[in-house]
Amino acid sequence: MVQSFFQVAAVASLLGPTGSEASGPGMSRLAERYVGTAAEIVVATPSVLSAGIAIDGRLDDAVWAQAAVLEGFTQFKPVEGSAASQRTEIRVIVDSDAIYFSIKAFDDNPAGIRATLSARDSYVFSDDYVRVILDTFDDQRRAYVFTVNPLGVQHDGLWNESGGGTGRRGHGSFGSPIDANPDFLWDSDGRLTEEGYEAELRIPFKSLRFPEMEVQSWGLQVERKIQRNGYESSWAPITGNVANKLTQAGQLTDLRNLDMGLFIELNPVLTGSRNGAVDELGNFGHDSPTGDFGFNATYGVTSNLTLDATYNPDFSQVEADAGQVQVNERFALFFEEKRPFFLEGTEIFGMPQQIVYTRTIANPIAGGKMTGKVGGLNVGYMGAIDESFDVTGSDTYVNLVRVRGDVGTSGTIGAVYTDRTVGSGDFNRVAGADARIQLGGRYTVTVMGAQSFTDNADVLERVDGRMGSARVEGAGRTFSFNADLVDTQGDFKPGSGFFQRIGSTQFNSRLSYTWFGKRGGFLEQVNPSFEAKGFWDHDAFWGGQGLEEGQLQLGWRVGFRDNITFWGNVQRNVFEYQPEQYEGLYVGMSDGSFQAFRPNQDLFGGLNGYTLSLWVNKWERVRGNIRYSVNDTPIFDRGFGVAVEPARSYSGNLSLNLYLTRSLSSDIGVTQSRLVRKRDGVEHSSAIIPRIKTQYQFSRALFLRGIFEYGSQERSALMDPSTGLALYQCGTTACTTRSGSLGHDFRIEGLVGYEPSPGTVFFLGYTREMDDGSAFGFENVRATADGLFVKLSYRFRM
């Protein structure tokens, strides 16, 4: 009772003597208006004791008359600086529990509004939307993002100016700084009207992290996108001449006595499954049904520090990774993190290089995490026990520590420590530091250094290795550039991270210029660019020797009216083989002997290519992208990662997004790749991966989804291009052929899901994997595995 009294008293002091009127400097009972085009972007936040707003997408609640009104939007894409083509009016007000926004998006062509009853987080490339960005620490480095389409469907995430999270490289899709993987609990609804569309948002303080301060200010930005023409506008004007977009946001001021209250979330998870597979004799059989229990918990230690824990986490709601072409890969493939537990606080573990890649924790038994911000210091700790897939193997204990401090206006300096220790005592540890500094608002310098320490059964004594990277960027409305240098020693082992190349020095630089046409003109944007890349062996680079691989690329991007975009590039590649990398690779001679293989350098004198791509988002029902590339590339030995001979690569990708009704959508994609040897025109490898995903949304929470994916990939045996004889890998006792590979398999997935909010779900799904006797023959089909699963979980919040 005493605690409740003080909470009410604090709110009453915020609201003034009436307990219902908005208060603060210049505030009155009627709405104050803040016009972005007039630089009126500092908002005195209106507050009431209890808003009593029914979140139904109808702006008829009386309290909206007391809310602050944001208007006067400015376009920033495709042509920067002009007034928005359509009027937008946003209202904002807070009460003791939440912050509320209303949206009135006017449109002089209501029939052209794109709106689908789609899945959460799925529509930002298909539907119109309005996005609210809240920088709750007002530090211009990190912000919450809450987006709604015209029907109130939610999309949320985190805006990270300082880098991506643990599951992604860089800033996310198409250069966006938004990581859409984290999900938050909030309410929204929307509806189409004769004037455009309306929506309402309620964001509880329990879903946000903010400073423990009696009076505080938050950064605020609102953006709107119109899909039929690609126009994007913002309330606070945005220019490309400033690198950090959060520094251009407005402010919500005079926020007083914010209290998230007791914050505990409990999320029990029940799962059941029955799996089938082919046994050693080739017979298909099913295991007995099994059930499992998992548990997730979150505790708000303070308003800005959160403790997460998980036991036996279940990730059955995570959609299987889409297939990738693997017939000529020399490096490991990267897959984004999608598992919910690892995505909480992901932005704190983001760094210039992927020192933390949580998908290295493959089979966690339990885990814990502490993340938050104390003053100007971001802190993060993650620990997990990773169970071995081998019943005879030992568990791995993983500890990840990250600290990052704010420097200057929007710079950061940080440190990281990772540890992977196997039960037997083997370990890999990495310690590193990084810094990001902005100069003059336009220029950004990012540096990082790290050292690894490794001791396991594969080494005679502890092995240490270092890495370093530096990046310089210049932002600009018309001209921009960046330059990167990444250097890793051969003994650098990032056990908890992801690096495609180790023991190399890499340089990359890109210059870009943008010409803007008139809004609505045939040409709205033309963007030529030039890119140069170079790769050296680490020791060779510091010894002053020449590069191993290089690329020069001239590209262009042309934006046409009605949201049609054309990309293209032409490139010139060079490749120098290194004899020492081929030790152990031999040619099998006709007399039964083996001769060391060395490629003919003359064959790699010049490797050229080009890529063309077209993106069309003009029509309401059909949108899509087509890409086609022709490039000269080496044929690589997958075991050694070295070039054998040059080939001509033909590859393409077709992606169609069909919106048959507001509730029914289908994504159809085909990826194709073909390698033809240049010396004789014979096909060396081919792959084709069609994929169809269809989803029917009965309501915002209930959906039915089906996925079909086929993978046909073939690769012939490697041969010496000079003699046409087979290549072998020879060890101390025997030689084995570098044989080809053949595979035709497909997967069918079906899922019925009910997900009213993140963490509260019911799933019933089935997956079946099959081998096909011949490419797309569908005659000698053999089942290889299947699985039926059910999942039930509920997210309790206190």
Side-chain angles (χ1 to χ4, degrees):
M1 181 66 71
V2 174
Q3 181 183 13
S4 299
F5 170 79
F6 280 115
Q7 289 177 347
V8 172
V11 173
S13 70
L14 163 67
L15 301 176
T18 66
S20 61
E21 293 186 9
S23 64
M27 298 303 298
S28 66
R29 191 174 185 84
L30 296 178
E32 293 276 344
R33 293 186 174 270
Y34 299 87
V35 182
T37 52
E40 298 171 354
I41 57 174
V42 179
V43 180
T45 310
S47 305
V48 295
L49 180 60
S50 178
I53 297 174
I55 304 300
D56 55 11
R58 300 179 183 275
L59 312 186
D60 53 4
D61 297 281
V63 75
W64 285 125
Q66 302 178 43
V69 180
L70 317 181
E71 58 186 2
F73 279 54
T74 304
Q75 186 178 117
F76 63 91
K77 284 184 180 180
V79 180
E80 179 186 302
S82 60
S85 63
Q86 305 290 342
R87 187 160 70 91
T88 309
E89 183 180 281
I90 307 296
R91 292 177 182 254
V92 56
I93 195 168
V94 304
D95 67 9
S96 58
D97 297 317
I99 182 169
Y100 299 80
F101 292 90
S102 76
I103 297 164
K104 195 172 183 64
F106 296 89
D107 200 309
D108 55 21
N109 179 20
I113 293 173
R114 305 274 181 87
T116 58
L117 195 63
S118 54
R120 201 177 197 274
D121 287 344
S122 68
Y123 59 78
V124 292
F125 295 110
S126 61
D127 288 7
D128 288 19
Y129 62 76
V130 172
R131 170 178 290 154
V132 175
I133 301 166
L134 289 176
D135 180 1
T136 55
F137 287 92
D138 199 23
D139 59 9
Q140 294 87 49
R141 294 165 176 83
R142 168 190 181 272
Y144 292 93
V145 177
F146 300 95
T147 307
V148 290
N149 78 351
L151 300 181
V153 180
Q154 297 180 357
H155 181 288
D156 52 12
L158 288 170
W159 185 300
N160 301 312
E161 277 294 335
S162 58
T166 63
R168 60 198 314 117
R169 291 174 292 181
H171 274 183
S173 300
F174 299 97
S176 170
I178 298 173
D179 182 352
N181 285 307
D183 290 322
F184 308 106
L185 287 179
W186 51 293
D187 301 309
S188 65
D189 204 354
R191 66 189 185 102
L192 296 166
T193 69
E194 294 180 354
E195 296 178 310
Y197 62 92
E198 298 176 348
E200 292 177 308
L201 290 70
R202 179 183 182 273
I203 306 168
F205 294 136
K206 288 181 183 291
S207 294
L208 302 172
R209 301 296 170 263
F210 46 83
E212 287 191 297
M213 299 170 59
E214 182 178 350
V215 183
Q216 56 190 285
S217 296
W218 292 358
L220 172 65
Q221 180 64 284
V222 184
E223 298 177 355
R224 177 182 178 183
K225 182 165 186 179
I226 303 171
Q227 287 288 352
R228 65 179 180 271
N229 50 30
Y231 291 175
E232 296 185 58
S233 58
S234 62
W235 167 62
I238 292 175
T239 175
N241 289 325
V242 177
N244 187 340
K245 298 300 182 289
L246 293 181
T247 62
Q248 303 175 63
Q251 271 192 326
L252 284 174
T253 64
D254 205 33
L255 290 157
R256 295 175 177 269
N257 301 309
L258 299 184
D259 185 7
M260 67 187 298
L262 176 66
F263 175 57
I264 298 177
E265 287 186 350
L266 305 176
N267 186 205
V269 182
L270 293 172
T271 60
S273 63
R274 189 185 188 209
N275 299 316
V278 177
D279 62 21
E280 296 178 354
L281 301 177
N283 300 316
F284 191 90
H286 286 92
D287 298 333
S288 299
T290 61
D292 216 343
F293 173 77
F295 193 81
N296 305 305
T298 301
Y299 172 61
V301 180
T302 65
S303 65
N304 55 359
L305 199 62
T306 304
L307 175 65
D308 293 282
T310 186
Y311 166 73
N312 194 25
D314 173 75
F315 306 120
S316 57
Q317 73 271 36
V318 176
E319 187 176 303
D321 295 306
Q324 299 188 45
V325 175
Q326 301 183 53
V327 292
N328 198 44
E329 290 295 327
R330 19 181 342 205
F331 306 116
L333 297 175
F334 180 87
F335 295 95
E336 289 190 357
E337 180 63 88
K338 299 178 181 179
R339 301 171 296 175
F341 171 75
F342 295 106
L343 294 172
E344 296 295 330
T346 182
E347 75 285 352
I348 293 177
F349 292 94
M351 283 165 280
Q353 303 300 320
Q354 201 90 38
I355 297 294
V356 172
Y357 178 51
T358 52
R359 288 192 70 147
T360 58
I361 305 172
N363 192 27
I365 300 173
K369 186 189 301 185
M370 176 80 80
T371 56
K373 185 168 187 175
V374 181
L377 197 65
N378 289 276
V379 294
Y381 165 77
M382 184 190 303
I385 303 173
D386 198 18
E387 184 178 13
S388 172
F389 286 102
D390 184 353
V391 294
T392 62
S394 300
D395 295 338
T396 300
Y397 297 86
V398 180
N399 290 281
L400 311 172
V401 181
R402 172 71 166 153
V403 179
R404 188 179 68 221
D406 298 342
V407 177
T409 304
S410 53
T412 60
I413 184 169
V416 62
Y417 175 78
T418 73
D419 173 65
R420 291 178 63 86
T421 300
V422 183
S424 60
D426 296 347
F427 65 81
N428 171 264
R429 296 163 186 156
V430 177
D434 62 283
R436 183 176 187 268
I437 306 297
Q438 287 201 331
L439 306 172
R442 295 184 61 176
Y443 305 101
T444 305
V445 178
T446 307
V447 295
M448 181 165 195
Q451 180 157 343
S452 68
F453 312 90
T454 304
D455 192 356
N456 56 44
D458 296 330
V459 297
L460 298 177
E461 58 184 9
R462 196 186 81 180
V463 175
D464 300 345
R466 293 186 297 275
M467 68 77 55
S469 70
R471 178 180 176 88
V472 179
E473 301 172 80
R477 179 175 181 267
T478 56
F479 177 74
S480 62
F481 72 89
N482 62 63
D484 294 88
L485 181 68
V486 181
D487 181 67
T488 57
Q489 292 182 334
D491 289 333
F492 178 69
K493 310 293 183 185
S496 296
F498 181 90
F499 284 71
Q500 280 194 323
R501 290 191 175 197
I502 297 295
S504 67
T505 303
Q506 309 170 35
F507 174 79
N508 177 59
S509 180
R510 187 175 189 272
L511 309 175
S512 176
Y513 177 82
T514 303
W515 172 86
F516 295 94
K518 294 182 179 180
R519 185 172 72 190
F522 177 70
L523 284 179
E524 291 186 324
Q525 217 179 85
V526 179
N527 175 214
S529 62
F530 176 76
E531 188 169 3
K533 297 180 181 180
F535 299 89
W536 293 261
D537 175 80
H538 166 81
D539 295 334
F541 177 82
W542 295 106
Q545 300 178 34
L547 59 76
E548 292 184 358
E549 299 176 47
Q551 181 185 96
L552 298 176
Q553 178 175 287
L554 179 64
W556 60 88
R557 178 181 182 273
V558 182
F560 296 94
R561 182 177 54 229
D562 296 330
N563 213 5
I564 298 174
T565 306
F566 174 71
W567 288 272
N569 68 63
V570 293
Q571 56 185 250
R572 174 76 169 179
N573 302 290
V574 295
F575 184 90
E576 296 284 339
Y577 88 89
Q578 309 301 310
E580 66 277 5
Q581 296 179 355
Y582 292 79
E583 297 299 329
L585 196 59
Y586 290 82
V587 180
M589 307 305 292
S590 56
D591 61 1
S593 63
F594 294 92
Q595 179 179 319
F597 170 72
R598 297 293 182 269
N600 183 354
Q601 180 60 57
D602 293 338
L603 298 176
F604 300 99
L607 304 173
N608 305 314
Y610 66 86
T611 299
L612 302 174
S613 181
L614 180 68
W615 163 252
V616 179
N617 195 10
K618 177 180 179 179
W619 303 294
E620 180 180 4
R621 299 300 181 191
V622 181
R623 298 150 224 181
N625 175 72
I626 184 170
R627 179 190 58 81
Y628 183 70
S629 297
V630 178
N631 291 292
D632 295 332
T633 182
I635 295 174
F636 294 104
D637 178 279
R638 286 173 291 178
F640 287 80
V642 296
V644 175
E645 62 176 306
R648 177 65 59 90
S649 169
Y650 303 89
S651 63
N653 178 270
L654 173 65
S655 177
L656 290 178
N657 309 112
L658 307 179
Y659 300 89
L660 306 175
T661 69
R662 290 203 189 279
S663 299
L664 178 61
S665 63
S666 185
D667 299 335
I668 302 173
V670 180
T671 299
Q672 178 270 339
S673 177
R674 183 169 171 261
L675 281 178
V676 176
R677 295 196 301 247
K678 294 189 72 174
R679 60 183 168 91
D680 56 13
V682 173
E683 182 176 277
H684 171 73
S685 66
S686 66
I688 182 167
I689 305 175
R691 190 173 195 262
I692 301 174
K693 174 183 173 182
T694 300
Q695 183 154 320
Y696 187 84
Q697 205 79 25
F698 297 94
S699 67
R700 287 172 54 186
L702 181 63
F703 65 89
L704 173 64
R705 183 174 72 205
I707 296 175
F708 171 84
E709 180 177 289
Y710 194 105
S712 174
Q713 305 193 51
E714 301 180 1
R715 176 185 170 111
S716 62
L718 294 177
M719 294 186 294
D720 175 13
S722 299
T723 64
L725 298 174
L727 292 183
Y728 290 79
Q729 178 181 356
C730 295
T732 55
T733 59
C735 293
T736 57
T737 181
R738 313 303 286 164
S739 60
S741 59
L742 175 69
H744 311 294
D745 55 72
F746 59 96
R747 182 180 79 246
I748 299 173
E749 296 182 19
L751 178 69
V752 177
Y754 178 71
E755 189 172 10
S757 62
T760 298
V761 300
F762 171 77
F763 289 137
L764 176 63
Y766 178 76
T767 300
R768 189 172 182 86
E769 298 178 357
M770 287 169 279
D771 277 341
D772 198 356
S774 60
F776 301 99
F778 296 106
E779 293 180 357
N780 299 317
V781 173
R782 181 176 65 97
T784 56
D786 75 349
L788 176 69
F789 80 91
V790 61
K791 174 177 178 175
L792 177 64
S793 71
Y794 189 84
R795 187 172 180 177
F796 296 91
R797 170 176 279 190
M798 293 174 276

